[in-house]
């Protein structure tokens, strides 16, 4: 059997039980359907990435990213995130071990950014 191409691999779904919920994720752990997201999943995704407890500022970022996505059908650009949260990019990036693009988006239940490119 041949290996999957990068595109095929991104479209692969993995069934997981996270925070007592059965959901599909992609092969990198991003939630398959953003509408299935809830705060319990966010806490579980954060724990998987090494965040023991989400701070008030991290929740602010998560909710801003989700609201922006729901209203614009895309994640906010860095300048929009900075403006919307009032935090510097260095502060924002340091809040999530995997950074904004992978860490914050994953915890907020947004699609894998590799699928969006």
């Amino acid at each position: 059997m041949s290996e999957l191409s990068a595109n095929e691999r991104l479209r692969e779904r993995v069934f997981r039980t996270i925070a007592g919920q059965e959901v599909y994720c992609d092969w990198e752990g991003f939630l398959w359907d953003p509408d299935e997201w809830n705060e319990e999943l966010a806490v579980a995704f954060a724990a998987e990435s090494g965040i023991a407890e989400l701070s008030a500022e991290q929740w602010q970022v998560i909710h801003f990213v989700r609201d922006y996505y729901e209203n614009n059908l895309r994640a906010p650009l860095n300048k929009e995130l900075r403006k919307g949260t009032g935090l510097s990019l260095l502060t924002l990036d340091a809040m999530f071990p995997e950074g904004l693009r992978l860490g914050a988006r994953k915890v907020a239940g947004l699609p894998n950014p590799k699928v969006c490119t």
Side-chain angles (χ1 to χ4, degrees):
M1 182 184 284
S2 66
E3 285 190 37
L4 296 175
S5 72
N7 267 349
E8 290 169 327
R9 196 166 183 197
L10 288 174
R11 288 179 177 74
E12 232 180 85
R13 291 190 307 174
V14 178
F15 187 71
R16 297 183 59 197
T17 301
I18 307 171
Q21 300 169 64
E22 297 176 344
V23 295
Y24 281 103
C25 294
D26 73 3
W27 69 283
E28 286 189 306
F30 284 83
L31 196 59
W32 190 264
D33 180 357
D35 292 334
E36 291 183 337
W37 181 89
N38 58 49
E39 290 189 355
E40 291 81 17
L41 284 175
V43 169
F45 284 133
E48 287 180 357
S49 70
I51 301 170
E53 185 175 339
L54 289 163
S55 69
E57 281 185 328
Q58 286 168 315
W59 279 116
Q60 175 191 3
V61 173
I62 292 165
H63 287 293
F64 178 82
V65 167
R66 284 208 54 83
D67 291 344
Y68 192 95
Y69 180 81
E70 289 174 6
N71 291 317
N72 299 283
L73 299 177
R74 68 171 178 84
L77 300 172
N78 286 347
K79 67 180 181 178
E80 295 161 336
L81 187 56
R82 190 182 73 238
K83 183 178 179 183
T85 62
L87 301 168
S88 75
L89 286 179
L90 288 175
T91 299
L92 288 162
D93 201 46
M95 288 180 166
F96 298 90
E98 297 176 276
L100 290 172
R101 190 161 183 248
L102 298 177
R105 284 180 69 136
K106 187 183 291 184
V107 173
L110 271 59
N112 191 330
K114 291 180 183 173
V115 176
C116 299
T117 57

